[in-house]
Amino acid sequence: MKVTQAEFQNMKEEIVKDLISRLIDERGLSMEQAFDAVYTSRLFEKLNDPKTGLFFQSSGYVYSYLTEELRLT
């Protein structure tokens, strides 16, 4: 399924918003820590690449990869 750049951006932003919210709620991170964790992650690099298709996945699915990455660092 093809999406426009604007649709891709919106879908990505919704996932990022959910990831940050979950890090704050579930892991007790401050907003600054949550933003930093998401935006500096390898997962975010992949989320920025439409070819990975991550933006089509649920935020819960993407969050599981982020928490795994954070656990390993």
Side-chain angles (χ1 to χ4, degrees):
M1 179 174 152
K2 276 248 188 218
V3 295
T4 66
Q5 183 63 29
E7 291 169 328
F8 167 70
Q9 192 66 27
N10 287 336
M11 294 169 82
K12 182 180 73 171
E13 287 174 4
E14 282 298 313
I15 291 174
V16 168
K17 180 181 78 171
D18 289 347
L19 295 176
I20 290 169
S21 179
R22 288 183 75 167
L23 287 173
I24 292 168
D25 294 343
E26 295 177 15
R27 301 187 106 202
L29 299 183
S30 69
M31 187 177 296
E32 182 179 333
Q33 290 170 320
F35 269 84
D36 187 54
V38 171
Y39 286 110
T40 61
S41 69
R42 289 184 311 268
L43 177 97
F44 185 71
E45 290 177 30
K46 293 176 183 174
L47 188 59
N48 270 319
D49 182 356
K51 294 176 188 167
T52 66
L54 274 177
F55 68 98
F56 273 125
Q57 303 302 320
S58 71
S59 60
Y61 178 81
V62 178
Y63 181 71
S64 70
Y65 279 98
L66 178 61
T67 57
E68 183 65 20
E69 179 181 334
L70 295 175
R71 185 182 69 77
L72 296 174
T73 58

